[in-house]
Structures are given as C-alpha cells and as structure tokens.
Amino acid sequence: KSIESLFEQRQDHFLIPAEIVANVQETNHLDHAFLVLTKIKYSKIPVLDNEQHFKGLLSLSMIAETMLGMNGIDPSTLPRHQVREIMQTDVPTIELPYDIEEILHLLVDQPFLVVVDKDQIFTGIVTRREIMKGFNYTAHE
Amino acid sequence: KSIESLFEQRQDHFLIPAEIVANVQETNHLDHAFLVLTKIKYSKIPVLDNEQHFKGLLSLSMIAETMLGMNGIDPSTLPRHQVREIMQTDVPTIELPYDIEEILHLLVDQPFLVVVDKDQIFTGIVTRREIMKGFNYTAHE
Ligand SMILES: Nc1ncnc2c1ncn2[C@@H]1O[C@@H]2COP(=O)(O)O[C@H]3[C@@H](O)[C@H](n4cnc5c(N)ncnc54)O[C@@H]3COP(=O)(O)O[C@H]2[C@H]1O
Ligand SMILES: Nc1ncnc2c1ncn2[C@@H]1O[C@@H]2COP(=O)(O)O[C@H]3[C@@H](O)[C@H](n4cnc5c(N)ncnc54)O[C@@H]3COP(=O)(O)O[C@H]2[C@H]1O
C-alpha cells in the first residue's frame, strides 16, 4: 500500500483553495458566463450561489449548445438565460479529510473533484494535475 | 522502479487510436469547427491536414475569443476564418515506443499527449484517464 501512504504525506498540498478557483454565479446570465469562460480558458468551472454553496459545473460547450438553432450561431438569447438553467448538476463531491483511494477512483472519470464542507460550502478542488505531480514524485523514489 | 514496470506491461492499452479521436481539418472554417466542438463536447481536439499530419490543437475558447469585439458576441466573422489561423501549435508530441517516464512527466501539464510517427502522421492520443486507470490498478496490488 505504498502509493496510498506516499500520498497521505502530501495530503495538504492537493487542495486548490476556493479563493483561486475561477467560478461563476448560478444567477449570472449566459452572455456574462460566455465572456468569463472565453477569457480564463479553463474548460469547466464550478458554479456557486451567493452564499458560496457549490451548485454545479459549467463549460463553454454548454453555453454554445444554446446558440445553435434555426439561425446558425445565434448569441441573441444569451442575455435572457441564467447559468443555473443549463449547468451540470450531477457532480460528485468529496469532503475533507481525503480518502485517497476514493480520489484516485473518481479522478479516472473526472478531471477535477469538487471539495465541499458538510454544509455544501465550496472549499476548493483537487485536480488530476496535482495527483500526476504526486506520481512523478513517487515514480522517482 | 515498480510503477514503470507495471505500466510497461499495459503499454499497448494506453493509445487511443486516431480512428476514434475527434479532430478537425486545418482548412475548416471556424463556424464549422464551432459546431463540431459544441456537439462532441471534448474540450480540446487535434487539428490535422488532408494527409493525416498532426498540425495543432483547437478548443472552443480559441474560437469564442475571435467572437468578442466591439459588437458584443459576434459570430459573423467565423465563416471567413480557418482553423489554422487560430490553432495552438506549440504542442509536445511523442512517438512509439513509449518512454513511460516521459509520458508521466508530460501528463503533469497536458491532459493528453499527441502520438505521431516519424513522418508526423497522427497515430492517436494518450490521455490522463488511461494513466489514472493504470494507477488504480497499481494501487490495488
Ligand atoms: N491557466 C493554466 N495554467 C497552467 N496549466 C493549465 C492552465 N489551464 C489549463 N492548464 C492545464 O491543462 C489542464 C486541463 O485544463 P482544463 O481547463 O481543461 O481543466 C481544468 C479545469 O476544468 C479545472 N481547473 C483547474 N484549475 C482551475 C482553477 N484555478 N479555476 C477553475 N477551474 C480549474 O480542473 C481541470 C483540470 O485541471 P488540471 O490542473 O488537472 O489540468 C490542467 C492543466 O494541466
Ligand atoms: N465523451 C466522453 N466519454 C467519457 N468520458 C469523457 C467524455 N468526455 C470527457 N470525458 C471525461 O472528461 C475528461 C476531460 O475531457 P476533456 O474533453 O476536457 O479533455 C479530453 C479531450 O481534450 C481529449 N480527448 C479524449 N478523448 C478524445 C477523443 N476520443 N477525441 C478527441 N479528443 C479526446 O483528451 C482530454 C483528456 O481526456 P481524458 O479521457 O483523460 O479525460 C476526460 C474523461 O475522463
């Protein structure tokens, strides 16, 4: 079980804290969200409410899908709709303290994991990149 | 060095072959590429030429960036520009046979690696997901 134990030593380094995770509000309109996602270039980001609760995930393709219709690529509907209408809500979340086996298992299908506290307040994310760095450390032992 | 050796046993399973990797042509126009990326939902895909050579990578945010201007979100310029004008070209590529240490190192910063042959013909991709599956296998030993 040496992989797990090596990770346990580095646990506190995996979390990217909420303060530096780009996000949008569930009540933002889609034109605003389009601008944010285009500028920051992250492919998928958390959606929060006005009390920092985690609500879902949003990507540019979810917004772009609403622009496809009878009139080609049409952005005119974006100001009339909110993030919460189209965001992805079936999202696994984890809480501290980590269960490294659960993290490794979930990161097979998720590029990042959303960390919340017991009240669903958004705490941060754990990314595949942080785990991959850990493997490079382990592999060089 | 047991991590490397466990991976070497599974080498042939990592490659996602070119035939099932979504891609666009460098001469496609951006409105077409916008549709493709919106529909397939992969966040970044390879760009090829008409002889299957790897040319670069394209994401929806690269296209969306061209739509931001004086007139809000404007799709009217998309039919007049080609993928090759905006694609990302500083992309690391690897060749078979794999060097697993190189793969683990590059996958820290790349969600997937582009595999080409010696003539730059696109062969497939190696994804973080395939490596994460390998780790789960290893961790359960
Ligand atoms: N500005 C940047 N600086 C340096 N490297 C960058 C970067 N943007 C992307 N990358 C690299 O590309 C990978 C995929 O990014 P993506 O945005 O598709 O997918 C990201 C994104 O959806 C989310 N994410 C990561 N950091 C974030 C942040 N600070 N705010 C919001 N979302 C974040 O987690 C996913 C996985 O991230 P991970 O770090 O494992 O993997 C990242 C990282 O290795
Ligand atoms: N249709 C789908 N079915 C099942 N799972 C899906 C999926 N679309 C996305 N995922 C999951 O989300 C991860 C990130 O996908 P993304 O499109 O941002 O980032 C992808 C995408 O940019 C590219 N990619 C993967 N497979 C591809 C394919 N068949 N064609 C084109 N690009 C692909 O490699 C990146 C990393 O892929 P990876 O598999 O490691 O990681 C994938 C996978 O775990």
Side-chain angles (χ1 to χ4, degrees), chain A residues 16 20-23 40-46 111-112 125 127-130, chain B residues 43 107-111 128:
Chain A
I16 295 177
I20 60 171
V21 178
N23 66 77
I40 62 174
K41 305 193 196 324
Y42 287 116
S43 64
K44 192 176 271 192
I45 62 176
F112 65 98
I125 61 177
T127 61
R128 279 176 176 167
R129 180 170 186 273
E130 290 308 304
Chain B
S43 62
L107 283 177
V108 167
D109 287 325
Q110 309 292 326
R128 279 176 177 166

